[in-house]
Amino acid sequence: RAMPKEALSGSESAAVAALKQRLSGFETEEGRLSGLDMTVRPTDVFVVTTPKAGTTWLQQIAHQLRTRGSMEFEEISQVVPWVELAFDQGQDLAAEQVAEPRLFKTHAWRGYCPKGGKYIVVVRDPHE
């Protein structure tokens, strides 16, 4: 599970290669691998986006829907853990959350995204 820096390939555009390189130092390898190997429940929901594609907005919407509007948190990743950073932040991805279904954020590419749950995928025009 070599994502993202290690997944560089010679056939990618310079922009994609630059993005992967920039993201590669954002989390520790141990934390990223731990998160991506999490045990997924069939009811888990993943908010899957590229960076800067409305991730926080979608996390807020999904959390509001599952809690009927609760704002009892200081930062959204306290209630919707970021898979790749949870280990480094001391969050237990196996733990129960404030409501069901459990929600998770990830910027992992499809081949690396934890398997077995449900997925809300956001895409955007990279030229905007």
Side-chain angles (χ1 to χ4, degrees):
R1 293 206 144 169
M3 192 210 99
K5 180 180 178 182
E6 299 85 353
L8 296 174
S9 79
S11 64
E12 296 169 332
S13 72
V16 170
L19 175 63
K20 287 182 178 181
Q21 183 67 40
R22 191 169 63 239
L23 290 175
S24 68
F26 200 60
E27 73 274 337
T28 66
E29 181 177 6
E30 179 184 14
R32 180 178 68 241
L33 294 176
S34 175
L36 294 174
D37 286 334
M38 69 180 282
T39 300
V40 178
R41 299 177 189 173
T43 56
D44 288 346
V45 176
F46 292 85
V47 174
V48 184
T49 69
T50 59
K52 308 307 288 177
T55 312
T56 303
W57 176 65
L58 190 51
Q59 287 176 271
Q60 290 278 2
I61 291 170
H63 179 67
Q64 295 303 304
L65 288 170
R66 75 174 177 165
T67 63
R68 298 183 184 255
S70 173
M71 291 294 294
E72 307 232 350
F73 57 90
E74 292 181 30
E75 204 279 318
I76 191 65
S77 63
Q78 293 174 312
V79 292
V80 182
W82 186 345
V83 171
E84 295 90 329
L85 295 183
F87 178 86
D88 296 322
Q89 299 295 316
Q91 289 179 299
D92 178 5
L93 294 176
E96 296 301 320
Q97 294 185 3
V98 298
E100 288 286 333
R102 297 188 318 164
L103 293 173
F104 301 94
K105 162 190 172 172
T106 184
H107 289 315
W109 296 292
R110 182 178 182 202
Y112 299 97
C113 197
K115 306 291 188 275
K118 298 174 183 173
Y119 305 88
I120 303 171
V121 180
V122 178
V123 294
R124 63 171 280 212
D125 183 343
H127 301 290
E128 292 182 16

PDB file of all heavy atoms in Angstrom, residues 17 29 37 39-40 48 87 90 115:
ATOM      1  N   ALA A  17       1.859  14.228 -10.623  1.00  0.00           N
ATOM      2  CA  ALA A  17       3.088  13.860  -9.917  1.00  0.00           C
ATOM      3  C   ALA A  17       3.421  14.885  -8.844  1.00  0.00           C
ATOM      4  O   ALA A  17       3.809  14.529  -7.724  1.00  0.00           O
ATOM      5  CB  ALA A  17       4.244  13.721 -10.904  1.00  0.00           C
ATOM      6  N   GLU A  29       4.087   7.409   7.325  1.00  0.00           N
ATOM      7  CA  GLU A  29       3.810   6.157   6.617  1.00  0.00           C
ATOM      8  C   GLU A  29       3.102   5.168   7.544  1.00  0.00           C
ATOM      9  O   GLU A  29       2.141   4.518   7.145  1.00  0.00           O
ATOM     10  CB  GLU A  29       5.093   5.545   6.076  1.00  0.00           C
ATOM     11  CG  GLU A  29       4.846   4.262   5.321  1.00  0.00           C
ATOM     12  CD  GLU A  29       6.103   3.667   4.719  1.00  0.00           C
ATOM     13  OE1 GLU A  29       7.202   4.176   4.968  1.00  0.00           O
ATOM     14  OE2 GLU A  29       5.972   2.671   4.007  1.00  0.00           O
ATOM     15  N   ASP A  37      -5.537   0.222   6.467  1.00  0.00           N
ATOM     16  CA  ASP A  37      -5.783  -1.189   6.780  1.00  0.00           C
ATOM     17  C   ASP A  37      -6.881  -1.375   7.826  1.00  0.00           C
ATOM     18  O   ASP A  37      -7.036  -2.460   8.379  1.00  0.00           O
ATOM     19  CB  ASP A  37      -4.490  -1.850   7.265  1.00  0.00           C
ATOM     20  CG  ASP A  37      -3.518  -2.105   6.132  1.00  0.00           C
ATOM     21  OD1 ASP A  37      -3.969  -2.245   4.978  1.00  0.00           O
ATOM     22  OD2 ASP A  37      -2.301  -2.144   6.396  1.00  0.00           O
ATOM     23  N   THR A  39     -10.402  -1.983   9.782  1.00  0.00           N
ATOM     24  CA  THR A  39     -11.495  -2.927   9.592  1.00  0.00           C
ATOM     25  C   THR A  39     -12.759  -2.128   9.317  1.00  0.00           C
ATOM     26  O   THR A  39     -13.163  -1.298  10.132  1.00  0.00           O
ATOM     27  CB  THR A  39     -11.686  -3.811  10.840  1.00  0.00           C
ATOM     28  OG1 THR A  39     -10.468  -4.526  11.065  1.00  0.00           O
ATOM     29  CG2 THR A  39     -12.836  -4.775  10.659  1.00  0.00           C
ATOM     30  N   VAL A  40     -13.347  -2.366   8.166  1.00  0.00           N
ATOM     31  CA  VAL A  40     -14.512  -1.608   7.714  1.00  0.00           C
ATOM     32  C   VAL A  40     -15.783  -2.390   7.991  1.00  0.00           C
ATOM     33  O   VAL A  40     -15.857  -3.592   7.732  1.00  0.00           O
ATOM     34  CB  VAL A  40     -14.397  -1.304   6.200  1.00  0.00           C
ATOM     35  CG1 VAL A  40     -15.621  -0.559   5.697  1.00  0.00           C
ATOM     36  CG2 VAL A  40     -13.123  -0.519   5.913  1.00  0.00           C
ATOM     37  N   VAL A  48     -14.989  10.524   0.132  1.00  0.00           N
ATOM     38  CA  VAL A  48     -13.782  10.335  -0.656  1.00  0.00           C
ATOM     39  C   VAL A  48     -13.656  11.489  -1.651  1.00  0.00           C
ATOM     40  O   VAL A  48     -14.520  11.662  -2.515  1.00  0.00           O
ATOM     41  CB  VAL A  48     -13.828   8.994  -1.426  1.00  0.00           C
ATOM     42  CG1 VAL A  48     -12.522   8.755  -2.173  1.00  0.00           C
ATOM     43  CG2 VAL A  48     -14.144   7.840  -0.491  1.00  0.00           C
ATOM     44  N   PHE A  87      -4.406   7.691  13.091  1.00  0.00           N
ATOM     45  CA  PHE A  87      -3.386   7.068  13.928  1.00  0.00           C
ATOM     46  C   PHE A  87      -2.454   8.134  14.512  1.00  0.00           C
ATOM     47  O   PHE A  87      -2.170   8.136  15.705  1.00  0.00           O
ATOM     48  CB  PHE A  87      -2.598   6.049  13.114  1.00  0.00           C
ATOM     49  CG  PHE A  87      -1.484   5.373  13.863  1.00  0.00           C
ATOM     50  CD1 PHE A  87      -1.726   4.251  14.628  1.00  0.00           C
ATOM     51  CD2 PHE A  87      -0.182   5.869  13.801  1.00  0.00           C
ATOM     52  CE1 PHE A  87      -0.697   3.627  15.329  1.00  0.00           C
ATOM     53  CE2 PHE A  87       0.843   5.260  14.492  1.00  0.00           C
ATOM     54  CZ  PHE A  87       0.590   4.132  15.260  1.00  0.00           C
ATOM     55  N   GLY A  90      -4.031  10.089  17.285  1.00  0.00           N
ATOM     56  CA  GLY A  90      -4.474   9.340  18.458  1.00  0.00           C
ATOM     57  C   GLY A  90      -5.938   8.923  18.405  1.00  0.00           C
ATOM     58  O   GLY A  90      -6.530   8.629  19.448  1.00  0.00           O
ATOM     59  N   LYS A 115     -11.862  -1.011   1.893  1.00  0.00           N
ATOM     60  CA  LYS A 115     -12.949  -1.671   1.166  1.00  0.00           C
ATOM     61  C   LYS A 115     -14.020  -2.213   2.111  1.00  0.00           C
ATOM     62  O   LYS A 115     -13.714  -2.629   3.216  1.00  0.00           O
ATOM     63  CB  LYS A 115     -12.404  -2.850   0.342  1.00  0.00           C
ATOM     64  CG  LYS A 115     -11.271  -2.502  -0.598  1.00  0.00           C
ATOM     65  CD  LYS A 115     -11.723  -1.628  -1.742  1.00  0.00           C
ATOM     66  CE  LYS A 115     -10.644  -1.439  -2.782  1.00  0.00           C
ATOM     67  NZ  LYS A 115      -9.724  -0.367  -2.487  1.00  0.00           N
TER      68      LYS A 115
END
